[in-house]
Amino acid sequence: LSSDLAKIISGVIFYRLSKSDQLKPDIIRGLFTAFLVLIGFQVYQTYVGVYRLIDIGYIAPQFNYNTALGDMRAFSTFLTPVAFGTYLAMIISFLMWSYAEKPMIRFFKWIFIGIGIIALIFTETRGAWIAFFLSTLIILMISRVISWTRLMIFSILFIPIITISVMLFPEVFVRYADRLSTITDLTYSSNSIRLQLWTGAMEAISRNWLIGYGQSDFALAVSSYIPQNLSTFTHPHETYLEFLFKYGIVGFLLYISLFIITVYKLLKTIRELPIDKRKLSIVASALGASLIFIFSSFTESFWGSYNLYITLFLIIGFGTQQNKKEGNCMPHMDKEYNVPLVRCTEDADQSVKVRWAD
């Protein structure tokens, strides 16, 4: 319980820190540096292969990190490839919706996005792929600053890039297309395992749904409801079920309320902010990362991924800071010059500012 509280307290601290305008540039640089370093770990793990990692002390689990072909799904420094894929998707979304005024910064931003997307594909994390797609679709549907003409141009230019890539590397395309196609195959190994774990977890939860099992051993609690070969799992492979199992309906409602409030506040901010590309892009970045985490949590248990939560709270802090009210403004006509003005009263010191109406 103490370790779980430490995650929450640390998340709140980092959330507050990311709301500071003074610390924001350093935090952003730290996020991008970590992003590149972690991809570097992924490249190294992929290059040397699972057998080299075993030689230097890595203990390979039965599944999760190793594919059916005997090679490895890189996980960088995260607990699982799915956690790493979700992290990559969150940072890519944060980059994609962030506003860059200078052309050179925009150029490097899209370079980083391209590197991140390639790294995300190579994690083979279907849950993160789907979460990234759904999050992007939602942001496009609600965004008030997207240039649809520019988006269509980029989409048209993207088609030949994909076509040429498929022609040059058909075996790579087939591999990842096959991986994506397994989503609906209930007999596929990881799908079957998840379904059995979820069923067993729900059976156990139904017998102690109010307060949950606390820090009790998951495998022991669900041993009567899952096959013996799954007895080594320490979680239900689903974040929301893990909270239901550990803390019952009370803890579960508290946990999901955090994300409901966050998404509500970010959506409210997007709706109420004036058309300001810089501010709206920051909020959209935070919303995109939040949605990715929410969707991915349906396919993996993330509660043990401390670095994933810290990243999430930092990004949310960037977006929610835009909720601060700058003042109460009321349009009116200036009687002396007969021109439209906007009178704004600042909440901080009740001083009055007058500016020309747009």
Side-chain angles (χ1 to χ4, degrees):
L1 182 60
S2 59
S3 63
D4 290 349
L5 288 175
K7 292 190 186 77
I8 297 172
I9 294 171
S10 299
V12 172
I13 292 173
F14 280 97
Y15 168 79
R16 296 296 300 176
L17 288 174
S18 68
K19 292 169 72 71
S20 168
D21 291 333
Q22 292 79 14
L23 295 176
K24 187 196 303 182
D26 294 327
I27 293 174
I28 291 177
R29 281 192 289 267
L31 282 174
F32 293 159
T33 301
F35 175 66
L36 295 176
V37 169
L38 291 170
I39 290 178
F41 277 113
Q42 178 192 23
V43 172
Y44 170 77
Q45 291 170 348
T46 304
Y47 176 73
V48 301
V50 65
Y51 299 112
R52 171 58 182 158
L53 292 180
I54 292 175
D55 290 340
I56 62 177
Y58 164 65
I59 301 175
Q62 183 178 357
F63 23 74
N64 227 354
Y65 303 111
N66 299 335
T67 67
L69 299 176
D71 53 4
M72 185 185 63
R73 294 171 56 198
F75 53 94
S76 191
T77 62
F78 287 76
L79 290 177
T80 67
V82 182
F84 179 50
T86 300
Y87 163 82
L88 290 174
M90 288 167 54
I91 297 295
I92 294 167
S93 180
F94 180 73
L95 275 170
M96 190 164 62
W97 302 117
S98 61
Y99 179 69
E101 187 173 0
K102 297 180 179 180
M104 184 60 68
I105 295 177
R106 285 201 298 270
F107 173 76
F108 280 107
K109 184 187 84 166
W110 285 103
I111 291 294
F112 286 140
I113 290 171
I115 293 172
I117 289 176
I118 293 172
L120 175 60
I121 292 173
F122 274 85
T123 62
E124 301 186 34
T125 51
R126 300 165 299 170
W129 294 349
I130 296 172
F132 179 76
F133 173 78
L134 292 176
S135 171
T136 303
L137 186 63
I138 291 172
I139 299 296
L140 287 173
M141 291 172 61
I142 67 174
S143 178
R144 298 159 58 201
V145 295
I146 293 295
S147 171
W148 288 99
T149 302
R150 183 177 297 179
L151 182 64
M152 288 297 296
I153 293 173
F154 278 131
S155 300
I156 293 172
L157 292 175
F158 195 65
I159 292 174
I161 295 176
I162 293 294
T163 304
I164 293 172
S165 300
V166 172
M167 293 174 63
L168 292 176
F169 309 102
E171 67 283 352
V172 175
F173 174 79
V174 170
R175 170 172 176 166
Y176 294 107
D178 287 344
R179 173 69 177 169
L180 187 61
S181 68
T182 61
I183 291 174
T184 57
D185 185 1
L186 299 183
T187 63
Y188 186 70
S189 59
S190 61
N191 297 352
S192 175
I193 289 169
R194 279 180 168 84
L195 288 174
Q196 293 177 82
L197 288 172
W198 295 347
T199 302
M202 288 302 298
E203 287 284 350
I205 291 167
S206 66
R207 286 160 173 74
N208 194 13
W209 60 271
L210 185 59
I211 61 173
Y213 291 84
Q215 300 303 309
S216 299
D217 183 77
F218 173 78
L220 183 62
V222 302
S223 59
S224 302
Y225 317 113
I226 61 174
Q228 183 64 32
N229 64 314
L230 302 183
S231 60
T232 57
F233 277 88
T234 59
H235 55 74
H237 243 306
E238 211 262 23
T239 305
Y240 307 111
L241 280 180
E242 183 173 11
F243 262 80
L244 267 173
F245 174 82
K246 282 189 171 182
Y247 305 116
I249 192 66
V250 177
F252 170 75
L253 291 177
L254 287 173
Y255 181 73
I256 64 170
S257 66
L258 168 68
F259 294 100
I260 292 173
I261 293 170
T262 297
V263 171
Y264 170 77
K265 289 182 67 176
L266 293 173
L267 287 172
K268 185 172 183 287
T269 303
I270 289 176
R271 187 176 67 252
E272 295 180 353
L273 270 178
I275 300 298
D276 183 319
K277 285 188 176 182
R278 184 185 64 83
K279 290 184 178 181
L280 284 172
S281 66
I282 294 173
V283 182
S285 298
L287 179 61
S290 301
L291 291 174
I292 286 169
F293 185 88
I294 290 169
F295 292 139
S296 291
S297 294
F298 284 104
T299 60
E300 181 62 281
S301 294
F302 292 138
W303 190 231
S305 298
Y306 179 78
N307 42 5
L308 193 60
Y309 276 91
I310 294 303
T311 302
L312 176 66
F313 279 109
L314 282 172
I315 294 176
I316 289 175
F318 289 137
T320 53
Q321 72 169 346
Q322 302 302 318
N323 283 326
K324 296 186 295 184
K325 294 183 179 179
E326 296 180 355
N328 298 317
C329 298
M330 180 177 296
H332 70 285
M333 295 297 294
D334 184 272
K335 294 181 180 179
E336 183 177 355
Y337 298 102
N338 194 33
V339 293
L341 297 174
V342 175
R343 185 175 298 277
C344 298
T345 303
E346 293 184 303
D347 293 334
D349 56 7
Q350 294 300 309
S351 63
V352 174
K353 298 187 299 183
V354 177
R355 61 178 173 83
W356 296 109
D358 294 331

